Structures are given as structure tokens and as C-alpha cells.
Amino acid sequence: MKDFAERLESVRGRVSAACARVKREEDVKIVAVTKTFDSEDVRVAVECGLTVMGESKVQEARQKIPLCPGSIEWHMIGHLQKNKVKNAVQLFRMIHSVDSFELLEVIDTACKDAGVEMPVCLEVNVSGEGSKFGMAPENIGNVIERSETLLNVSIEGLMTIPPFTEDVEGARPYFRRLRELRDECRSRTGVDLKELSMGMSHDFEVAVEEGATYIRLGSVLFGERKKKAFSGVAVEEL
């Protein structure tokens, strides 16, 4: 626990310094990415004060969430297949990775059936890489306007994953473009779009400088990912 607490303190200091450099409020929320980590790792994160955890696979979340403290707010941050949406809306309090209007419609229907409302971020492929999920930037405004007919989802903001570069400054143009796109869509549609989900362990300070409100952090908090995927077997019930 001491190691995690020290890493978290370091991360918070780096976030504060990044906010100070650009003279912004410290309104950045940490999503602790628990992929491959078990319920004991999650418990340590909670005891150190974190309340929002992120998972990228619905199946792993289904196994893990029942073993973890009930106070956690779980966010879906990975690619979501339409056939996993029914489970996802029951497990998660927010979805960061909506990459098509069709997926948004499926989420809306599942939320209606479950009697819940789901805040979401639209995933934008700012770089245009074929290997990445996400919508083209030029389509985002139209998707937001079309979503006005959907009653069970609320678009809270935008999300992106930039290309990996050794020099973290290489990510800055992509984070900046997402912020500019958010501002353009906000002006066009009148939707607040208060959230920018961008920045991971390697580049989160640059993301904060460019306006991130959610940063998705795994290894910088938990250490190197476990080689063996989470099995769903807990050491003890929580």
C-alpha cells in the first residue's frame, strides 16, 4: 500500500504542477485503470482515496466488480462491442469510448430497458490512424445533433488516444485538436461537453496542460501490468 500511496502522491503532484503551468483549476479526475489487476489491488487504490476505476473489457469487469468495494464508480474505457452493451450498462456508471452513432443508439435502448441513464464520451480518432477506434472529427457535430432524439444517454464530452511517441510532446497536437473540436462542437450544438477524457500514464501531464478533465492511468499507479490476466478468483471476498 505504501508504494501505491507514494505513486499516487507523485501523480497528484505532477497534475498540480501541470495545472499551474497553464493557470487552470485543478479539476482533473483520475480514472485508475485496473486491467489485469485484482480485487486486492483495487482495494489498495480505494484505501488511498481513489473512487473511479476504469476497465476496458466487459468480461473482466463482470468478474472483478462484484469482488471489489461497492463505493467505486466504474467507467468503461475500452472498445465496446454492441453485443456487450446490455451488460455494460449494468456494470458501468460512464462509458468513455462510444465510437459510432449506431453504438450510441444501442446503449440508449439498453439503458431504457434497464431503467438507467448513461453519461458518455464520444471517442474521436483525431490522428486518423486505421488501427484506432473512434469517429472522424468531422462527424462529431452531426452525431451530437442526432443524439438529441435519444433520451437515455447524455453526451458529456470527447475522448481520444493519440499515437504513441517516445517524446510526450508528440501527443500535444492531438490533445489540443480534441479540445478545439470540443469547443467547435459546443458552439455549434449548445451541448456543454464539459469532459475531455485524454491522457494516460505516458503523457498525462501534456493532456492536463491541454485541458483534460479525465486522465486514464494504469502503470504509473499500479506498476507494470500483470502478465497473467485477471482470473476472477479473489483471495478473499470484499
Side-chain angles (χ1 to χ4, degrees):
M1 181 169 172
K2 180 181 177 183
D3 289 345
F4 187 95
E6 289 175 349
R7 288 192 290 263
L8 177 57
E9 183 180 5
S10 173
V11 164
R12 284 175 167 160
R14 293 164 66 184
V15 169
S16 295
C19 289
R21 285 194 292 270
V22 294
K23 297 179 173 59
R24 64 171 287 195
E25 294 183 13
E26 292 188 34
D27 56 352
V28 182
K29 300 173 284 289
I30 295 174
V31 181
V33 180
T34 57
K35 178 182 177 181
T36 77
F37 294 101
D38 59 29
S39 55
E40 181 60 29
D41 297 311
V42 174
R43 190 207 316 253
V44 169
V46 171
E47 290 178 352
C48 288
L50 293 181
T51 59
V52 182
M53 308 289 159
E55 279 289 334
S56 58
K57 294 183 181 297
V58 172
Q59 184 59 32
E60 184 170 339
R62 287 184 67 190
Q63 295 174 334
K64 187 181 300 180
I65 289 176
L67 305 176
C68 294
S71 58
I72 297 170
E73 181 176 311
W74 290 92
H75 289 201
M76 177 65 182
I77 61 171
H79 177 62
L80 180 59
Q81 298 172 304
K82 294 185 181 73
N83 63 353
K84 301 291 177 58
V85 167
K86 183 177 179 180
N87 287 320
V89 301
Q90 296 172 342
L91 293 166
F92 297 105
R93 294 275 300 278
M94 185 172 184
I95 298 172
H96 290 231
S97 48
V98 176
D99 59 4
S100 70
F101 182 75
E102 291 72 24
L103 177 60
L104 195 62
E105 288 182 305
V106 174
I107 295 170
D108 181 68
T109 299
C111 286
K112 180 180 178 181
D113 293 342
V116 300
E117 182 175 317
M118 182 65 66
V120 305
C121 287
L122 302 181
E123 183 173 1
V124 187
N125 187 349
V126 177
S127 67
E129 291 178 286
S131 60
K132 279 191 167 57
F133 295 107
M135 291 177 266
E138 60 269 22
N139 294 336
I140 297 299
N142 183 54
V143 169
I144 293 171
E145 290 175 339
R146 292 174 68 190
S147 73
E148 293 179 2
T149 62
L150 307 179
L151 303 179
N152 305 284
V153 293
S154 60
I155 298 177
E156 299 294 316
L158 306 179
M159 178 268 227
T160 199
I161 302 173
F164 179 84
T165 58
E166 290 293 338
D167 181 359
V168 295
E169 283 297 321
R172 189 180 297 276
Y174 303 100
F175 295 146
R176 181 172 296 164
R177 178 57 187 138
L178 192 74
R179 172 170 50 82
E180 292 171 345
L181 179 63
R182 186 276 306 276
D183 294 345
E184 293 165 9
C185 291
R186 177 186 281 169
S187 177
R188 170 180 166 178
T189 66
V191 177
D192 189 25
L193 301 175
K194 62 183 179 180
E195 307 294 0
L196 288 175
S197 175
M198 58 188 195
M200 297 184 286
S201 292
H202 178 62
D203 54 21
F204 70 89
E205 289 161 287
V206 176
V208 169
E209 291 174 355
E210 292 299 331
T213 61
Y214 278 113
I215 51 176
R216 309 179 303 273
L217 307 181
S219 60
V220 74
L221 292 174
F222 292 100
E224 292 303 312
R225 295 210 178 280
K226 296 183 177 181
K227 293 182 180 179
K228 185 177 180 181
F230 172 74
S231 65
V233 179
V235 176
E236 61 178 311
E237 286 293 319
L238 297 175

